[in-house]
Amino acid sequence: MHNAIKEILISQTEIQNKIRELGKQITRDYKDKSPVLISILKGGVVFLADLMRQIELPLEIEFLGVESYGDSTHTSGVVQITKDCKIDLTGKDLLIIEDIIDTGLSLNYIIDLLQKKNPRSIEVCVFLDKVEARLKEVDIKYKCFDIPNKFVVGYGLDYAENYRNLPYVGMLREEIYK
Ligand code: IMP
Ligand code: MG
C-alpha cells in the first residue's frame, strides 16, 4: 500500500470483478448498437480503459475535457470545457464514462452540453457514487460502487493531480492535505 494511503476502500480485485460484470450488462443492453463511450478527462480514463475491454460490441471512444473550479477537494459546479468532442455525435448512442458523481453539478452540465450535439441517446456510467453529497439529481444508468461522503483517490481519481495511478480506491492520511 502507498504510504500516503491510510485505508483501502475498494481493492483492485473488487474493482476488476465489478467491471467485468458491468461490461457484460452493457454488452447485453446495447446489443445490435454501437455506442460511443465518452470519457470525462482526466479521472474517467482509467475506468474507460478497463471497461471498454469488457464490452463485446463495436464501439467508439471519445474524450471530453472539463475543469471545474473550486479547491482540490470540492467542486464549484462551474465547469469549463478544456477539450470538446471531435467526432460527429448526431444520432449516436452516447455512454458517459465518469470517475465519480459527487454533487452532480458537473454531470448535469456535461449532459446538457452533449444533448446539444443531437445524439440518439445519452446514458451515464459512473465508477463511484457519493449518494449523500448530491445537490442535483442525475439519472445514473450504470455504476460500480456507492461510497460514503469522504474524499478518495486512486483508480483515476486525484488529489492535486496525484494518486490517479493507484490500482485501488483509498483514503489519504490527514497530513497529506495542505
Ligand atoms: P460533482 O460535480 O460534485 O459531481 O463532482 C464531480 C467531480 O469532482 C469528479 O469528476 C471528480 O473530478 C471530482 N471529485 C469529487 N469527489 C472526489 C473525490 O472524492 N476524489 C477525487 N475527486 C473527486
Ligand atoms: Mg472528473
Side-chain angles (χ1 to χ4, degrees):
M1 187 160 90
H2 192 291
N3 58 19
I5 299 294
K6 79 169 173 201
E7 187 191 339
I8 293 180
L9 288 186
I10 310 166
S11 73
Q12 191 170 0
T13 311
E14 282 176 278
I15 293 173
Q16 297 307 327
N17 288 343
K18 186 67 202 185
I19 288 179
R20 214 172 298 121
E21 203 181 289
L22 192 61
K24 284 194 187 129
Q25 193 187 341
I26 293 171
T27 303
R28 282 195 302 272
D29 291 356
Y30 284 84
K31 187 178 177 292
D32 302 323
K33 290 187 178 141
S34 179
V36 184
L37 273 48
I38 302 189
S39 176
I40 310 303
L41 298 173
K42 305 170 193 171
V45 166
V46 180
F47 183 33
L48 171 77
D50 282 345
L51 180 62
M52 66 186 282
R53 287 175 288 176
Q54 300 298 330
I55 300 175
E56 294 179 42
L57 293 171
L59 58 78
E60 293 171 78
I61 64 167
E62 183 51 285
F63 298 92
L64 185 65
V66 301
E67 250 166 40
S68 89
Y69 296 106
D71 62 40
S72 37
T73 57
H74 293 96
T75 4
S76 64
V78 181
V79 177
Q80 190 191 25
I81 300 301
T82 56
K83 188 217 158 284
D84 205 348
C85 295
K86 285 277 150 57
I87 61 175
D88 185 10
L89 301 177
T90 313
K92 299 272 178 81
D93 294 301
L94 312 186
L95 187 54
I96 301 173
I97 309 293
E98 177 59 311
D99 53 359
I100 187 166
I101 178 163
D102 183 9
T103 61
L105 296 171
S106 307
L107 265 173
N108 224 273
Y109 183 94
I110 290 163
I111 293 166
D112 280 354
L113 181 107
L114 290 174
Q115 205 80 61
K116 296 195 181 92
K117 298 180 188 284
N118 301 311
R120 178 161 65 181
S121 67
I122 302 182
E123 298 292 354
V124 176
C125 176
V126 296
F127 175 60
L128 300 176
D129 187 352
K130 280 189 196 173
V131 191
E132 299 158 48
R134 199 77 83 255
L135 294 176
K136 207 147 197 166
E137 275 319 306
V138 176
D139 201 3
I140 307 288
K141 177 91 180 259
Y142 305 101
K143 88 167 110 170
C144 288
F145 305 98
D146 285 332
I147 59 161
N149 197 4
K150 300 256 168 63
F151 193 78
V152 296
V153 295
Y155 203 75
L157 294 138
D158 73 308
Y159 170 65
E161 296 300 330
N162 286 298
Y163 312 106
R164 294 192 197 273
N165 58 326
L166 299 179
Y168 48 79
V169 174
M171 280 168 60
L172 287 173
R173 294 186 189 285
E174 275 78 25
E175 57 268 31
I176 303 295
Y177 299 107
K178 287 171 210 113

